[in-house]
Amino acid sequence: KPIIIRIPLGSLTGVDKELLSVAKIVDGKLVFQGGFVDGNTIVESRDAFSSYVVVENKVSFNDLAKVQSWAGRQIEVVAAKGAIEGKKAGVFAPSDNVTRAEFAKMLIKALDLDNVKATESFSDVQASDWFAQYVAAASQNGIINGRTDTEFAPNATITRAEMATMIARALKAKRNLQDVADVDGALEGFSDAAQIHSTLKAGVAFAADKGLIIGNNGKFLPNDNATRAEAAVILYRTINFK
C-alpha cells in the first residue's frame, strides 16, 4: 500500500505555497505528484520509493482570458500539482469537454490516490492505455463504475452529475466521510433535481452540500458535459476541503 512521506521545507519567504509540489525525478525530468503544505513540511502519499524534490511549479497558459475571473487561479494551482495538464505548451483549452478517463486521472492525482498495483477488468481498458492505472485506482477505491458491467467508456464525456458523484466518492474514501442524511433536502435548491439519475443523487447531494460544485441560476444542469475549466475549479475546491 502507499505510504505517507513528509518532506521538510526551507524558508518559504516569497514562495507561493499553493504552487509547491512534490516532483519525482524520472530519467532526469520532473513528474509532478502534488502534496499539501502542513506547517513547514509538504505531505504526499507515494506508492514507490524514488528520488523526489519539492518545486514551486509555475504553470502558465495563454488561453484563459475568458475564464480567468472564476477559474484562472484554480487552473494554475491544480496544474502546479500535476493533476491537470494543458493540451500542449501554453494551451489549456478551458472550454473543451472532459472525458471519463481524463477525469479519473485528474481526480486520482489531485487526491493523492495513485496505486500502481490497482487492477481493473473493463474490456475497453487495456494495460498499455495511458489512463489504465488511474481507472484501476478509481475503480478499486469505489470512485467510479463502468457505464456497463464490462465497459468503462473511457472516451465518453463526463457529465456534471457524474463528476460530482466521483468527487463525493473520492472524498468519502479519502476522509472516511458519510453521505448526506437528507439527499432530497440538499437538492431542493435546484429546479432540475428531478433530472439527476437516481444512482447519482447521493453524490450530487454530497458535493452540493459541501460546496464542491454549485448550480447556475437555480439549476444544477446534471446532464451537461463538464468543461476542463469547471473540472479544475471543482478539483481545487476538493483539494482545499477541510
Side-chain angles (χ1 to χ4, degrees):
K1 293 183 178 181
I3 62 167
I4 303 297
I5 60 172
R6 302 180 69 94
I7 302 176
L9 302 169
S11 172
L12 297 178
T13 302
V15 173
D16 188 336
K17 292 195 294 184
E18 277 200 307
L19 302 184
L20 289 178
S21 178
V22 175
K24 183 178 181 179
I25 303 174
V26 181
D27 297 329
K29 297 181 180 179
L30 299 180
V31 179
F32 291 96
Q33 306 294 336
F36 66 92
V37 176
D38 179 18
N40 205 44
T41 63
I42 190 167
V43 183
E44 166 71 359
S45 172
R46 297 303 308 134
D47 53 10
F49 288 115
S50 187
S51 297
Y52 297 99
V53 64
V54 181
V55 177
E56 183 185 18
N57 186 24
K58 297 180 179 180
V59 184
S60 60
F61 302 104
N62 54 30
D63 60 346
L64 301 183
K66 291 184 178 180
V67 301
Q68 184 65 43
S69 62
W70 60 273
R73 174 62 176 179
Q74 292 88 335
I75 291 170
E76 182 183 21
V77 172
V78 176
K81 301 295 185 182
I84 197 167
E85 301 171 357
K87 289 295 184 79
K88 58 183 180 180
V91 177
F92 184 75
S95 298
D96 282 10
N97 292 332
V98 180
T99 67
R100 285 164 53 83
E102 287 173 335
F103 195 68
K105 178 180 179 180
M106 293 176 191
L107 190 52
I108 290 300
K109 290 185 71 66
L111 283 187
D112 206 12
L113 293 169
D114 300 76
N115 186 350
V116 294
K117 293 189 179 297
T119 59
E120 49 73 32
S121 58
F122 297 114
S123 62
D124 54 355
V125 177
Q126 308 305 313
S128 58
D129 290 333
W130 64 265
F131 49 80
Q133 73 177 84
Y134 305 109
V135 171
S139 179
Q140 179 170 291
N141 282 285
I143 294 169
I144 193 168
N145 301 318
R147 283 282 174 89
T148 70
D149 290 340
T150 58
E151 294 185 344
F152 180 73
N155 298 315
T157 54
I158 192 168
T159 67
R160 284 170 49 82
E162 286 179 320
M163 185 164 64
T165 296
M166 287 177 64
I167 287 286
R169 290 171 178 165
L171 261 185
K172 287 189 291 182
K174 182 79 174 179
R175 305 282 188 86
N176 195 29
L177 301 173
Q178 302 299 315
D179 280 326
V180 174
D182 183 3
V183 170
D184 290 334
L187 298 176
E188 65 182 4
F190 302 120
S191 61
D192 56 354
Q195 297 176 24
I196 303 172
H197 193 280
S198 59
T199 61
L200 303 177
K201 281 192 173 183
V204 173
F206 179 95
D209 181 69
K210 306 301 183 186
L212 302 173
I213 186 168
I214 59 178
N216 185 5
N217 294 321
K219 293 184 177 182
F220 186 77
L221 308 173
N223 300 313
D224 281 13
N225 292 325
T227 67
R228 285 168 54 81
E230 287 176 326
V233 170
I234 293 166
L235 289 171
Y236 178 86
R237 292 173 183 154
T238 304
I239 290 171
N240 288 284
F241 179 78
K242 303 297 184 183

